[in-house]
Amino acid sequence: MSRGRIRDGFADILVGAYAADSASVALFYGAPDRFSGAFEVANADAVLEPGAIQPWSTIGLGDVDLAGGAEFALTTRGGDLHVFEGTPTQRGGLVGLDDALAQFSPEQPGDGFGVSVAAGDIDGDGRRDLVVGAPGSNAAGFQTGSAYVFLGASDAATDRRASDADLVIRGQTHRTESDFEFHDVLGSEVTVGDVDGDGFDDLVVGAPSDFVAGAHGGRALLVYGGDVRGE
């Protein structure tokens, strides 16, 4: 479940219902004194294709396209991440994947791409950037995990692949003296914010199974904003 202001100044609520054959995502618009009592998906202000999209995770992103509304992202079980506009033309009735502002596809099928998502201005150019975690990525070893940064996502009303990311952060495999392996599962959580107050949003990436502090001790990686291109 996520919340954010789509456009009218009231916080709205986005709820995912992950049933096997009737999955849906429902959007309820905020209003004074509205949220009390019980709500049903059938009474939502907007519903994303019930039963067809198989949502895996949903998250509010803020104003990604700089159009004045709050966008939200939906990851399907197939691994694609879809970003939807928070404008009046996209807000009512039944919404399909064809209505998405942009689509981002995984580097590898089944790598958990989109389990965690965040948005912010990492390079300080005034445009929103998108960060996507894939904790099941095997690109650097079994379930080492990856995180991808797409700069200028506010300009990208198009399809992009993880291999097109401007910055890729890879997890590691750690082997103990008894030859036991631990895998970072990096990208399980990602978040964006200006940690050091320099005007650039910084990136924090979680690696819950990192071995630095012992078995499954975990750690969080901090990447300062600025020129972040590369791997």
Side-chain angles (χ1 to χ4, degrees), residues 21-137:
D21 57 0
S22 61
S24 62
V25 176
L27 177 62
F28 298 90
Y29 301 141
D33 302 321
R34 178 179 184 185
F35 292 114
S36 62
F39 284 80
E40 297 182 1
V41 172
N43 298 325
D45 296 288
V47 177
L48 279 76
E49 288 186 347
I53 53 176
Q54 293 297 294
W56 184 251
S57 64
T58 57
I59 189 169
L61 297 176
D63 188 8
V64 172
D65 64 354
L66 305 179
E71 277 64 58
F72 59 92
L74 162 73
T75 305
T76 64
R77 293 185 187 276
D80 292 328
L81 175 73
H82 304 266
V83 178
F84 292 87
E85 287 185 287
T87 60
T89 57
Q90 299 288 342
R91 287 176 54 185
L94 188 64
V95 180
L97 295 182
D98 291 341
D99 297 315
L101 171 70
Q103 175 179 319
F104 297 82
S105 301
E107 193 172 15
Q108 305 165 327
D111 65 3
F113 184 80
V115 165
S116 58
V117 186
D121 186 7
I122 295 173
D123 58 354
D125 64 354
R127 302 178 300 168
R128 299 280 283 184
D129 311 311
L130 195 66
V131 183
V132 184
S137 171

